[in-house]
Amino acid sequence: MAPHANDQPSRLPVAQATVLALPPSSPAKDLRPRWTALDSLLCGAFAGAVAKTVIAPLDRTKIIFQVSSKRFSAKEACRVVYCTYLEGGLLSLWRGNSATMVRVMPYAAIQFCSHEQYKRLLGGYYGYQGKKNLPPFPRFLAGSLAGTSAVMLTYPLDVVRARMAVTAREIYSNILHAFVRISQEEGVKTLYRGFTPTILGVIPYAGITFFTYETLKKLHTEKTNRSQPYPHERLAFGACAGVIGQTASYPLDVVRRRMQTAGVTGSSYTSIVGTMRAIVTQEGVIRGLYKGLSMNWIKGPVCVGISLTTFDITQNLLFKFHQTNYFTH
């Protein structure tokens, strides 16, 4: 019986050692917060770059109409695209896209990353567990704050991009040249011309866009019991969000473009009210303040849909990679 009695104590330490040797669960819980900000920045930059490159020719054409008194029509838009192609070749349709990339990558990175952070902060403030369970108003507020943050940090790049889109290469040969020439000839303040209407426009635009997209995903989960929509469903949700958001804020988008490009178009737009009054007086409400909106209904949903979908998919893939990498070491 003595040897048998000695066996019991010897097994107990082994069992205890086995339990104590298991890896603690806390690092796995901490993994997501540690990577979220970096993931959002990288995925946001990538999503913005892909979306804007796809619709760059349409975007440039829209800006040309926004800053001129030409009457917009599908036929005129096609003519502008065709003439641009004949004069400068295929790549001329993407003129200003380098400035767009320099602007949109930090813009989208800041917007998406700050949106995730604002959702988390507002969720904690309103006592909601999980960033996806926000009620309607905080959901709208998170989008508005994200858009405002991104605009404030990247606005001069937007002015440069608009100038390059409506001028010949001889005027601004590259982004740096545009910055230097505008600053020297018109003053540094010119780089912030149109800032106020941009902020006033981005509050409803970003708020409605993110609100609509998040709401559609939430309703989809409730109806289908699937936590993640398919890619084509994400595109549809993003397209709907883009149409609603851009339509709501479009007149202010026209106003900011006129103010941004006043130095090269010979106009003297200095205030929001004055610019809006001049547009309405000379061109009318629909043909002036909503000029190019029908084109925006084509390019806007495509751009927003691609951007939001790319962000969601790349963020999920990157997080899965981090999980796999963590658990295999």
Side-chain angles (χ1 to χ4, degrees), residues 63-297:
I63 293 174
I64 290 172
F65 277 99
Q66 282 183 327
V67 303
S68 70
S69 58
K70 290 181 181 179
R71 181 178 176 180
F72 177 84
S73 67
K75 182 178 180 181
E76 279 297 307
C78 291
R79 192 181 69 80
V80 168
V81 172
Y82 182 64
C83 289
T84 303
Y85 166 74
L86 289 180
E87 291 173 7
L90 183 63
L91 291 180
S92 66
L93 296 174
W94 275 265
R95 169 151 171 78
N97 195 51
S98 57
T100 300
M101 290 299 100
V102 173
R103 180 193 72 92
V104 81
M105 292 182 73
Y107 178 91
I110 294 167
Q111 186 180 43
F112 279 110
C113 181
S114 61
H115 184 240
E116 296 293 308
Q117 303 306 315
Y118 285 131
K119 283 196 293 183
R120 203 169 278 112
L121 288 172
L122 290 170
Y125 179 80
Y126 283 92
Y128 281 79
Q129 297 296 323
K131 62 185 181 183
K132 295 183 180 179
N133 296 324
L134 287 176
F137 178 70
R139 206 179 305 151
F140 172 85
L141 186 59
S144 295
L145 290 171
T148 303
S149 300
V151 166
M152 290 177 68
L153 294 172
T154 62
Y155 188 75
L157 291 168
D158 190 38
V159 175
V160 170
R161 174 254 183 157
R163 290 289 187 95
M164 292 182 70
V166 300
T167 57
R169 185 174 294 276
E170 293 74 23
I171 298 178
Y172 302 122
S173 57
N174 54 52
I175 300 169
L176 182 60
H177 180 227
F179 268 111
V180 172
R181 185 166 181 177
I182 292 170
S183 301
Q184 289 179 343
E185 296 180 0
E186 303 173 56
V188 176
K189 286 185 178 180
T190 304
L191 294 172
Y192 289 89
R193 183 179 290 166
F195 180 76
T196 303
T198 302
I199 289 293
L200 293 176
V202 83
I203 290 172
Y205 169 68
I208 292 171
T209 299
F210 278 110
F211 169 81
T212 305
Y213 186 66
E214 295 288 329
T215 300
L216 289 174
K217 287 201 300 182
K218 184 174 181 290
L219 292 173
H220 171 271
T221 301
E222 293 173 355
K223 295 290 184 182
T224 63
N225 293 321
R226 282 191 283 115
S227 60
Q228 297 294 333
Y230 295 129
H232 67 275
E233 292 171 330
R234 292 182 191 274
L235 279 170
F237 298 160
C240 290
V243 168
I244 297 171
Q246 291 189 344
T247 301
S249 62
Y250 195 79
L252 286 167
D253 189 43
V254 174
V255 169
R256 79 183 174 104
R257 291 302 184 199
R258 294 291 179 98
M259 294 178 71
Q260 286 176 343
T261 58
V264 292
T265 57
S267 304
S268 56
Y269 301 119
T270 56
S271 68
I272 300 173
V273 176
T275 303
M276 197 169 286
R277 186 187 295 117
I279 294 171
V280 172
T281 302
Q282 297 169 13
E283 303 166 51
V285 176
I286 302 299
R287 293 178 180 177
L289 293 178
Y290 289 91
K291 181 185 292 182
L293 178 59
S294 56
M295 177 175 286
N296 231 42
W297 284 339

